[in-house]
Amino acid sequence: MSKINLLFLKIKRLFNRFLNQKLIKICIYVSLLTFLPGLLIGVLIAFFFGPESYNIINNYISDLGSIRYTPAPFILDAIAMVTAIFLVPVFFYITKIIVSDTKNIILNSNKSIFKRIFCIYIDLHAFFGLLSLLLGAVGLFGIGLFSEDRTTELGLHFTFSIIVFAGLAFGALFNGIAILLKLKKTMFPRLLGLYMMVGPFIASILFLFPPSSVTRPFLEWMMLLAAILWLIPESLLILKNFKPA
């Protein structure tokens, strides 16, 4: 066995041990049941009990982590950090699915050189997608750890806010391209891959260059929605394709 094949085998064994079905199920359920309900509760508390009647038109998401806008800023801090931790294995698993059949083609000398290079190209997109999503997870953890009230003189909260949205947008773009280019269909529909390429980036561009009739806080919420609209379907498709225990 060549050194390259041996390296691939070791990586595969490590991934399979780390990315087992039980762990991924737990991570998906914890992420879904933590972030969305927690975010909704945080918004409702800020709206009804906050000093400024919080709303998504005039308030940024990060305002939910400040005592100036809500009596319970710890809710956003907690759900951001918990969700970030549990999303990491899910992001690895998504990459595993995307590159599931490319290794055999890349290492098969009987396949045409063009097909092998094409699979390497797909894997590179999946790899950069994974790196971007992991950066997004770091950013999500960071906005919880360094909330608006704990941003420090370095403005760490703002920095991590940029990291999370940029990471999710680029992660969606790279993975979306990989899903569209796959020679064989994965559990992720190509239509979802197309949305991942387009949706998050349109939301990001609108945030950077907002129309005069729309507020930036509302567009930040739209960026979050754009990410949710591919993260949740992918998570549900993963759960659907798991074999019964």
Side-chain angles (χ1 to χ4, degrees), residues 223-243:
M223 284 198 297
L224 176 61
L225 178 62
I228 289 173
L229 287 177
W230 69 265
L231 280 169
I232 291 182
E234 280 201 347
S235 298
L236 295 179
L237 287 168
I238 291 172
L239 293 175
K240 180 182 178 182
N241 282 270
F242 275 149
K243 296 178 181 179

Side-chain angles (χ1 to χ4, degrees), residues 60-74:
Y60 290 99
I61 300 169
S62 297
D63 291 343
L64 291 174
S66 173
I67 197 67
R68 292 175 295 168
Y69 301 98
T70 175
F74 57 86

